[in-house]
Amino acid sequence: MSDDTDRPRKTLTLTRPGSSAADDAGSGQENPRRKRSGARAKHAAQAERDKAKTGHRQESGRPGEQRQSHSREPSAQELAEPDRPDEIDDGDEDAIAFIDEPRVEKRRRPLGARQAEIFNVFAPCPQGLEEALAAEMQALGFDDARPGRAGCSFTADWSGIQRANLYSRLATRILAQVAQEEIGHEDDILDLAYGVPWERWFGAEQTLRVDTSAIKSPVRSLQYCNLRAKDGICDRLRDREGARPDIDTVRPDARVHLFIHGTLATLYLDTSGESLFKRGWRLDKGEAPLRENLAAGLLALSGWDPAAPLMDPFCGSGTILIEAAGIALGVPAGIWRPFGFERLRGFDNRHWRDLKDDARTRIRTQLDTPIFGCDLDLQAVEYARANAERAWLTPDTIRFEVGDARTVAPPSEPGWIVTNPPYGDRMDQIDEGLWRDWASNLKKHYAGWRLHAISSDMTLPQQLRLKPQRRTPIHNGSLDCRLFGFELVASSYRDA
């Protein structure tokens, strides 16, 4: 018989904290732990774990809590459900790339008034914007905000979580931590999820989506981990409210994220709903558009002064410039869109309305300095104008025109150029002499301007014949890019 028949068919059993390989093998013990295979062995092993954990909970002062065994096999249909990605996909706008998010000491808090309760919060963002995001959160009053990789962490009450959603231009989501624990086996995730009082935020009458991601973890199947988390949530609500919530992977009422770092599992309640880069105004997209929070990040990294002129000679559908106008006018990034927390239980509509009313009182009515964009594509310019109108910007706030970066004259006195020029697949449609001709125009007419251009082409400075002052690593989706920063002076160039 082939050796394959003796292999366990279940996912990897993790080494429990404090145990060794010899302990797991049962050497010198009366009841050694044996390898499992087959459906009956799976049921038996799960039943033993449930029995042991139930006894542990009763000894820990929770003798009255009863729950059903969770030893059933996942069905093929459940395993095929699309709400459990097997890996982080940078192209998936709903996938969260938690990378080296710091471990937080587990805290037990009373179920008091939500506004007074302090949550550990994680805000993911595009890689390269972590420092800028932490600075943004500190400016919003979250003094303990600290950058990690692909996001930042801070603490906030429920009102602060709402403010972070409303104002943040750089975050992708605002996630409130609700549970964190070391796990020894994938099935421990079920117990972790079952122990969270989800009924505080949503119930069986609402729809649910669960997403799972992991780094440096020995788990073999994120699908199975995701299923365990979802079962723990649904079983808890069934035991408390008599029914399980339906799963909706497109527009759920509630979203939960499970992140596994090594053997540390953390559950987050997603308070944002759709990704925060969806401001609500960009319905028309040009070719290869930047996401709104990345566009805002380029402005932050460039050091653009909102009191100074701004230009984008490759403006496309206008994302960078519309974000800039919102910054200069003091328009909160999320003022025109709904959020996930509005669909949760206990939502205080009056408090939320007061927060937005206060934000609106701080919005300026006009700009003192010009914002200008041009593009060769007439359709892209029309898209940009339509997007600006949906963002409630007047036609004179941003001047969009059809124009060629190789010949367009400066629209004002020196300021900033922040742009997303063609690179990658878009280069197939570009004239061979683009960089030479654009560099020549910059040399002749843009002395005193500061240029910041994002590109995945690491040879861009050589092609422009410029020496960058800064090369900031940043990701545009799955593309490893650099934000090149230049000081434009007439002597910076050699004649072509």
Side-chain angles (χ1 to χ4, degrees):
M1 183 176 295
S2 171
D3 291 341
D4 292 341
T5 60
D6 295 329
R7 295 176 182 172
R9 296 167 58 192
K10 203 169 185 178
T11 57
L12 174 67
T13 299
L14 306 178
T15 301
R16 295 185 180 276
S19 67
S20 65
D23 293 334
D24 287 341
S27 177
Q29 298 180 12
E30 293 182 3
N31 298 307
R33 185 172 184 174
R34 60 187 178 85
K35 294 184 179 180
R36 298 170 294 158
S37 63
R40 291 184 179 178
K42 293 179 182 179
H43 282 287
Q46 181 62 57
E48 291 177 3
R49 280 194 296 274
D50 288 344
K51 182 178 178 181
K53 288 190 171 103
T54 300
H56 175 71
R57 279 193 294 270
Q58 291 177 347
E59 292 173 3
S60 302
R62 297 167 60 188
E65 182 170 335
Q66 299 292 327
R67 54 176 293 198
Q68 298 180 1
S69 172
H70 303 282
S71 58
R72 68 178 182 84
E73 290 289 318
S75 67
Q77 179 180 359
E78 288 173 321
L79 288 174
E81 285 178 357
D83 62 323
R84 297 178 295 274
D86 269 334
E87 60 183 14
I88 296 172
D89 181 1
D90 289 330
D92 180 2
E93 63 195 22
D94 291 318
I96 302 299
F98 299 95
I99 302 180
D100 288 351
E101 196 259 338
R103 299 188 178 207
V104 180
E105 182 179 354
K106 186 177 179 181
R107 304 178 184 176
R108 298 193 178 276
R109 303 183 179 89
L111 304 183
R114 181 182 295 172
Q115 297 293 357
E117 185 176 1
I118 302 299
F119 293 86
N120 295 311
V121 180
F122 183 67
C125 69
Q127 291 187 59
L129 298 185
E130 297 90 346
E131 294 281 350
L133 175 58
E136 178 188 59
M137 289 301 173
Q138 290 170 3
L140 290 174
F142 305 108
D143 296 334
D144 61 349
R146 61 190 187 279
R149 290 183 59 197
C152 84
S153 301
F154 58 97
T155 59
D157 61 12
W158 196 254
S159 179
I161 287 173
Q162 292 178 327
R163 286 195 303 108
N165 275 288
L166 176 62
Y167 284 100
S168 180
R169 292 189 173 275
L170 306 183
T172 304
R173 295 183 182 277
I174 304 298
L175 305 172
Q177 180 181 309
V178 294
Q180 185 179 75
E181 194 170 281
E182 294 281 349
I183 59 172
H185 190 276
E186 288 90 336
D187 289 340
D188 292 341
I189 295 167
L190 184 144
D191 296 280
L192 178 65
Y194 188 90
V196 177
W198 302 108
E199 61 274 11
R200 295 177 58 193
W201 299 290
F202 57 90
E205 76 281 2
Q206 291 166 289
T207 55
L208 171 67
R209 171 172 174 158
V210 180
D211 291 286
T212 298
S213 57
I215 62 168
K216 302 177 182 177
S217 178
V219 298
R220 288 184 178 176
S221 173
L222 291 188
Q223 286 190 347
Y224 186 69
C225 293
N226 201 91
L227 180 62
R228 295 286 82 187
K230 186 178 69 174
D231 279 347
I233 297 168
C234 293
D235 289 354
R236 166 129 188 163
L237 293 177
R238 180 191 60 198
D239 292 348
R240 298 301 190 277
E241 304 190 355
R244 294 165 62 98
D246 292 331
I247 301 300
D248 183 346
T249 62
V250 179
R251 188 173 174 79
D253 296 315
R255 293 173 182 254
V256 174
H257 292 269
L258 167 65
F259 172 56
I260 307 172
H261 185 178
T263 59
L264 184 71
T266 308
L267 285 167
Y268 294 95
L269 178 67
D270 185 343
T271 67
S272 301
E274 287 194 303
S275 297
L276 292 181
F277 65 78
K278 295 184 177 181
R279 316 290 202 217
W281 50 259
R282 192 175 74 171
L283 301 183
D284 295 315
K285 302 178 182 180
E287 190 173 346
L290 289 176
R291 288 179 175 175
E292 291 87 323
N293 62 339
L294 180 56
L298 299 184
L299 292 165
L301 293 175
S302 74
W304 172 61
D305 180 356
L310 179 67
M311 178 183 181
D312 183 354
F314 301 94
C315 70
S317 57
T319 306
I320 292 176
L321 300 182
I322 295 173
E323 283 296 311
I327 293 170
L329 292 170
V331 180
I335 196 68
W336 309 120
R337 56 155 285 169
F339 294 96
F341 60 75
E342 297 179 62
R343 299 198 295 273
L344 299 180
R345 286 179 173 176
F347 171 61
D348 187 344
N349 187 61
R350 177 178 296 181
H351 178 73
W352 175 233
R353 186 174 62 246
D354 290 344
L355 285 177
K356 291 199 293 184
D357 287 345
D358 177 69
R360 290 190 178 100
T361 64
R362 306 171 191 274
I363 297 176
R364 300 176 58 194
T365 56
Q366 67 179 51
L367 295 178
D368 298 328
T369 54
I371 297 179
F372 173 77
C374 68
D375 200 282
L376 275 173
D377 186 350
L378 173 61
Q379 184 68 69
V381 172
E382 291 178 352
Y383 285 164
R385 290 170 178 162
N387 287 333
E389 183 178 359
R390 276 189 292 269
W392 295 89
L393 299 174
T394 59
D396 59 344
T397 303
I398 307 174
R399 197 175 90 210
F400 288 112
E401 294 181 359
V402 176
D404 190 336
R406 296 169 291 189
T407 59
V408 65
S412 65
E413 69 274 9
W416 268 258
I417 300 173
V418 180
T419 189
N420 176 34
Y423 53 86
D425 294 338
R426 288 185 292 163
M427 291 306 297
D428 295 338
Q429 307 170 19
I430 300 303
D431 294 340
E432 184 176 337
L434 170 64
W435 304 129
R436 181 191 66 242
D437 295 341
W438 184 32
S440 178
N441 187 32
L442 291 172
K443 172 184 177 180
K444 293 176 181 178
H445 302 113
Y446 287 84
W449 285 74
R450 302 180 184 184
L451 168 63
H452 292 265
I454 183 175
S455 181
S456 63
D457 183 358
M458 304 305 165
T459 68
L460 180 64
Q462 288 80 8
Q463 296 187 66
L464 291 176
R465 292 161 299 179
L466 275 172
K467 183 177 180 180
Q469 290 187 324
R470 288 190 299 170
R471 301 169 180 257
T472 305
I474 194 167
H475 277 73
N476 180 8
S478 60
L479 292 176
D480 181 18
C481 298
R482 297 293 183 273
L483 180 64
F484 297 102
F486 309 93
E487 292 282 349
L488 300 180
V489 295
S491 61
S492 295
Y493 297 89
R494 299 190 304 270
D495 291 332

